[in-house]
Every structure is written in C-alpha cells, then in structure tokens.
Amino acid sequence: MSPAARSVSQLLASLGEDSAFATRFAVKADPRLHVEGIGEVPLPIAVHSAHQLCAAAQPARHGYKDETRLDPRVRDTWEITAERIRFDSPQWASVLDRAVERVGRDLGLPPGVRLAAELHNLLVYAPGQFFTVHQDSEKADGMLGTLVITLPSSFTGGEFDVSHQGQSLRARGSAKQPEMVAFYADCHHEVHPVKAGYRVVLTYNLIAPDDMPHADVPEEELAALAEAVRGLWQTPAVPRWSGDTATEPPDRLVYLLDHQYTQSGLSWARLKGADAVRASALRRVAERLDAEIFLALADVHETWSAEDDYREFRHWDYEEDDDEDDEDLPDHDVDEPILGELIDSEIELRHWRTHDGSELASDASGVAESELCFTRPSVDCTPFESEHEGYMGNYGNTVDRWYHRAAVVMWPRERAFVIRARQSPHWAIEQVAGRLAAGDPAQALEWVQRLLPFWSRAVPRADGAALLGATLPVATVLDDAHTATVLLAPFSLQQLAPEMAPWLARLLERHGLAWCAERLRQWAAVYQTPDAQLAWLAQTLPALTDA
C-alpha cells in the first residue's frame, strides 16, 4: 500500500467499530412447536419426539454454486420445510422480534434498522450426522444473515462453529432452553458430528430492509478523509525498485471491504458491519470531490512463499477440540503451511454497482498497487481456495490463495471517460460513436485522442472481433488519417468478418488504397497461432472477399 493510500486507510479504520460477525444468547420461551403429520412437539425434545421428526423429514440438500445437491458426505441431516411448521404460542412472535432486535444491535447495524426473520426449515441431526464447513447461500432477496435456534434437548457432540476472518464462535446448545446464534451470511460455519442424542434446530433467513439508513460520520472526520483522498489522486506512485522513476498519480481509489458479498447481495443498502459506515463516508466524500463512486466485486489472488516446516496442507481441516470449556476454535490451522513473504498479488474488479444500485456496464478491471487501499489485508481473510506447491528444483514451495472480496471504487468525474475507457474499450468506442451520431465530431475526436495513449494496451484485453466491429465505423468518419491509423493498429487480420466489408469499403474511399493496404499488412503482422490462421483462411476469408 502506498503512503497516500495508507493515510486513507487509517482514517477509514477509525470510522465504525469492528462489530461482531456473530452473536449467541439463550431465551426463556417455548414456541409450542407444531409439525404437520406429528402434532405438537413438547420441549425439551425427547428421544421419541426426535424419532417422529426424523420419520417425517427428508434428507437435507445443500447448495453448490447454482445447483442444489444431495450429498451425505457434505451434509448429513434431516429437514422439515417451513410450510409444515407452525408455532401455537401467542408470545413466540414477540420473543422472536425482541431476539432479532438484539441481533441487529450485536451485529452492528445502524440504529433503527429492523431485520425480518423468515422461517426456512427445521433440521434434525441424529447420531453421526453433521454439516461440513460452508457458507449460506442467499435464499431470499435482501438476506443479510442467518438465525439458528437450537431447541432444548440432550445431546453430545454436534458443536456449531461459526468463523469469520480468523475469529470464531462455538455454540453447543442447551438441555433447558432455546439457544440462538445469528451470523452474517458470508461467515463459514459447520456442525460437528453428533455423538449421542439429537440436535434439533430452527433456521431463519434474516432479511434487511431496502431503505437501510446510512451511518452518521462527524464533519471533521469527513473533511480529513476528503483531503486524504484528494492527496492520493495528486501524489505520484512511489517507485518499487531502485532506479525506477515515479509514475503518474493513480486515477482511482479502490478500497477493499472487510466482508464478502455475492453478486446478488452486493448492495449499498445491505453492507455489513463497519463496511456500511466506511462506504457511507466515502459516498459523502465523493459528493465533495465531484467524484463518481461504485461498488464492485473483487477477486484477489495472492502468491506467498512458504516456510519449510509444515505438515500436510488441508485447508478446511480443524483440530479436534474436546475441551467443553473452550469457546473458540484454534486461530491457525496447524496443517496449513506457514506463510513467508508476499511474492505477487492480482486483483480483478467485476460486477459494478452505481450509487443508485443499477449495474454499470464494464469489463473486468485490474487494480494497480498505487490505487489500492484496505483496512484488512487479504491474508487475514478466509480464502475460498488455497494451493501449495512444494519445491520443484529452482522454484516452488509457494502458497497460492484466492479470495472473494468487494470494493468501493471512486474516481474524479473529470477523469471519468479515460478511466472507464481503460476498463471497457468497447464502452469508450460506443461513447465516441454516440457523439458522432449526435453531430458532435469535435467532441468525438477529442475523446479518441484521449484513448490513443493506452489504446494498444487496452484492445488485447477486450473481445477483439467485437471491438473491431465497433471501431471500424468510427474510423470511417474520422477525417484525420493518423488518428484512424492508431485506432485500428492493435487489431489482427483474423478478427475481420464478412459483415465488416462495408466499413472497409468506406475506409478505402476516405483514405485510399495505399493506406488500406498498409492496415492489412499491419494486421497480418499480429501473431496468431497457425491453427487460427488456417481456420480464418478456410472459413472466413472467402466470405469476406465475396462481401
């Protein structure tokens, strides 16, 4: 992190406390559970009642990406769906409301926010049953977290562990009263195998309101943050190696959030914990600095050197913990290699959200070190995948880690066209074409001139054929032959398609045969594999020449 970015990070870290990722408490209440086909199930749940529940249930499935699977190696438990459940106690609704209100406070939601608890199912864990480490899928729009209510019964084993960014919480249930555990949806959690007895739980989806208020930030802290962000955009990046020259100031601020979000769950109104406070502060800073601001998903890949002394690496294996008084899991998985130095880091931004919640059309975008800012480094987060490579002679003994994170991205409005053009060359050409269609060739030419310094680097990262199809009509309208040359230079001959023939003809009319012949020679010089060349010659060239 650069010194200028570190200053921004320190100010953001002071905003909002690191709220709890999970909370646990007991309540004195009996919901008078009634299950269709069984009737009332008295508490504490006796063995014969648990047998009845198992007989009335179905094996539980689990989510895997976009699928729902039945795999007892991952999830082995019995499920009764919500529509078969009711609660006959008139007090249960108020008990649940008070519990959910406490959950909101414990998880650090802004004052006045009221979560809704939506019953999802009832689960029964018989002896030997379990659920391996997983994250909850977002089962409903606006789902912020999960509430698990362990009904009173006598059982051993079946510990419920919740972890987030190196912190953990363990719950074992009670034989006398319902125990509630609530946690954010991005937390990893698992149910250890039940040793004896039956563990019976109710699970609820915790739904956040669409109009969740933003947290207040003191004026003096906002002013300091605004100055720090302005300073980041004005400070040249520090050279990484001796002899390197300082680079231009970064165009953007990319601030990595602490919690994990899915594509459907990424929303300004549903940020979690301190993320909500810090994002709200950055939105107000964006207004002061006349900047554009977005949310985006961030895919992080880091490569670390590994220490020599480690046991076999199995990322999700936990040490067996039989200490009934120990509330926490180990802070470090002893089977994981000990990390040494960070060798390389790559971050790619995708799935952008504007300040009003709409999607921003943008290609995937890399992140430069000079524009990156965070309060929690990725190494302190939980990777969704890890891979160790042992010594391979002259290389190896490294650990690769992949993380799903999210980010607030902000840039000065005056630089918006160039910044977005670097992210999405196709969008940039569409904007230029729009100005030409609106009869504003001067603005169109100015934008094209601003593209040229980085155009040769941006084009290879895009869909070349589609981008060429969008660029050719623009080049035919430009009066300046040199500008048209630079705009078309990064493409290749194999990206030409028959539908582009009319635009080639117009280029011939505008710039002449010699100019067009030079473009073809330039495109032919761009390396393509022999197979790709032969395929284009056989399949596309005849149709193109006919056109």
Side-chain angles (χ1 to χ4, degrees):
M1 196 188 311
S2 69
R6 187 173 293 108
S7 176
V8 176
S9 173
Q10 290 170 346
L11 290 169
L12 287 170
S14 68
L15 301 178
E17 298 179 358
D18 289 331
S19 59
F21 62 94
T23 182
R24 178 192 63 193
F25 53 91
V27 296
K28 293 181 179 180
D30 184 346
R32 291 183 60 191
L33 172 66
H34 186 282
V35 177
E36 179 185 292
I38 297 177
E40 185 169 343
V41 181
L43 300 183
I45 294 177
V47 172
H48 73 274
S49 296
H51 290 169
Q52 288 180 311
L53 291 171
C54 291
Q58 297 291 329
R61 297 175 177 270
H62 70 95
Y64 178 77
K65 297 182 179 179
D66 296 330
E67 305 175 17
T68 301
R69 295 181 173 182
L70 180 63
D71 187 349
R73 297 170 301 176
V74 175
R75 186 182 195 185
D76 186 8
T77 185
W78 298 99
E79 177 185 26
I80 296 176
T81 55
E83 59 270 14
R84 298 180 57 196
I85 299 169
R86 76 167 190 259
F87 305 105
D88 291 338
S89 169
Q91 290 81 33
W92 179 245
S94 61
V95 169
L96 190 60
D97 285 344
R98 290 194 300 271
V100 171
E101 184 178 352
R102 174 174 173 175
V103 167
R105 292 195 305 270
D106 290 352
L107 296 185
L109 299 184
V113 172
R114 293 190 64 85
L115 295 172
E118 178 185 272
L119 181 64
H120 180 58
N121 60 16
L122 180 146
L123 300 172
V124 183
Y125 290 84
Q129 291 189 310
F130 61 92
F131 197 171
T132 58
V133 176
H134 63 285
Q135 288 174 291
D136 283 340
S137 57
E138 292 167 355
K139 308 175 187 70
D141 291 340
M143 180 177 165
L144 193 71
T146 299
L147 171 65
V148 176
I149 304 177
T150 304
L151 299 177
S153 65
S154 295
F155 65 92
T156 59
E159 296 86 358
F160 184 56
D161 291 329
V162 186
S163 62
H164 183 260
Q165 316 297 38
Q167 297 179 297
S168 301
L169 178 147
R170 168 165 287 186
R172 294 185 172 86
S174 168
K176 297 179 180 180
Q177 55 191 355
E179 182 184 65
M180 300 198 173
V181 178
F183 49 92
Y184 281 121
D186 61 322
C187 292
H188 291 86
H189 50 285
E190 68 174 318
V191 179
H192 290 270
V194 172
K195 296 178 180 178
Y198 291 82
R199 177 180 184 268
V200 183
V201 302
L202 299 166
T203 71
Y204 288 80
N205 302 324
L206 296 176
I207 311 299
D210 291 332
D211 56 348
M212 197 155 70
H214 300 293
D216 292 329
V217 179
E219 169 60 31
E220 59 273 15
E221 296 187 29
L222 279 177
L225 182 59
E227 283 304 309
V229 173
R230 183 185 285 112
L232 173 72
W233 288 335
Q234 296 174 349
T235 304
V238 177
R240 294 191 65 181
W241 311 108
S242 176
D244 289 351
T245 57
T247 60
E248 292 296 317
D251 287 324
R252 309 180 299 183
L253 166 69
V254 180
Y255 172 66
L256 294 179
L257 298 174
D258 286 357
H259 283 270
Q260 181 179 325
Y261 302 88
T262 64
Q263 181 172 332
S264 59
L266 187 65
S267 166
W268 289 99
R270 296 178 185 131
L271 296 178
K272 304 164 186 172
D275 287 351
V277 181
R278 294 162 184 167
S280 178
L282 288 172
R283 288 184 69 171
R284 294 178 63 182
V285 166
E287 294 173 359
R288 296 186 179 204
L289 300 182
D290 191 27
E292 296 184 344
I293 189 167
F294 308 91
L295 286 175
L297 296 181
D299 291 334
V300 182
H301 174 207
E302 292 186 344
T303 302
W304 291 78
S305 64
E307 299 291 340
D308 293 335
D309 186 18
Y310 64 89
R311 289 195 278 168
E312 183 181 356
F313 180 25
R314 295 171 299 163
H315 177 67
W316 279 120
D317 288 352
Y318 288 111
E319 286 287 289
E320 189 66 32
D321 182 8
D322 292 326
D323 185 357
E324 292 297 319
D325 295 324
D326 184 6
E327 299 279 328
D328 300 319
L329 289 172
D331 291 334
H332 176 71
D333 184 348
V334 297
D335 287 337
E336 181 175 332
I338 298 173
L339 302 182
E341 296 182 353
L342 180 63
I343 299 172
D344 192 23
S345 177
E346 296 178 340
I347 301 176
E348 185 176 86
L349 302 175
R350 57 183 177 84
H351 184 66
W352 298 67
R353 290 282 183 187
T354 65
H355 65 87
D356 63 1
S358 59
E359 288 200 39
L360 175 72
S362 179
D363 298 336
S365 168
V367 177
E369 182 181 8
S370 60
E371 61 189 3
L372 180 63
C373 177
F374 49 81
T375 52
R376 185 189 298 276
S378 293
V379 70
D380 290 344
C381 302
T382 302
F384 73 88
E385 185 177 348
S386 296
E387 182 178 289
H388 172 256
E389 182 174 45
Y391 277 119
M392 302 294 290
N394 295 327
Y395 65 96
N397 202 22
T398 57
V399 175
D400 285 279
R401 284 179 155 195
W402 291 265
Y403 306 85
H404 287 320
R405 301 191 67 174
V408 177
V409 187
M410 185 164 60
W411 57 66
R413 198 177 303 276
E414 63 183 12
R415 304 185 199 173
F417 176 77
V418 169
I419 294 170
R420 288 199 61 186
R422 284 176 175 158
Q423 296 175 189
S424 179
H426 202 283
W427 171 87
I429 286 297
E430 288 179 344
Q431 301 306 303
V432 172
R435 297 320 304 158
L436 290 171
D440 190 358
Q443 179 67 76
L445 182 59
E446 178 189 338
W447 280 353
V448 170
Q449 295 290 349
R450 295 173 71 181
L451 294 177
L452 299 185
F454 61 86
W455 190 246
S456 63
R457 298 189 302 275
V459 169
R461 298 195 300 267
D463 181 348
L467 185 56
L468 178 58
T471 304
L472 281 171
V474 171
T476 62
V477 181
L478 296 174
D479 290 326
D480 186 87
H482 172 72
T483 300
T485 297
V486 178
L487 199 60
L488 294 174
F491 297 97
S492 71
L493 195 63
Q494 284 73 32
Q495 291 164 344
L496 282 176
E499 60 269 20
M500 301 176 189
W503 303 112
L504 295 175
R506 292 194 185 185
L507 285 171
L508 184 63
E509 293 173 357
R510 178 172 289 273
H511 297 300
L513 180 60
W515 185 92
C516 287
E518 181 57 33
R519 299 289 71 71
L520 292 175
R521 281 192 290 270
Q522 191 176 45
W523 290 341
V526 176
Y527 175 76
Q528 297 287 324
T529 64
D531 287 346
Q533 292 178 345
L534 289 173
W536 184 83
L537 288 169
Q539 300 168 14
T540 305
L541 182 59
L544 177 62
T545 53
D546 284 346

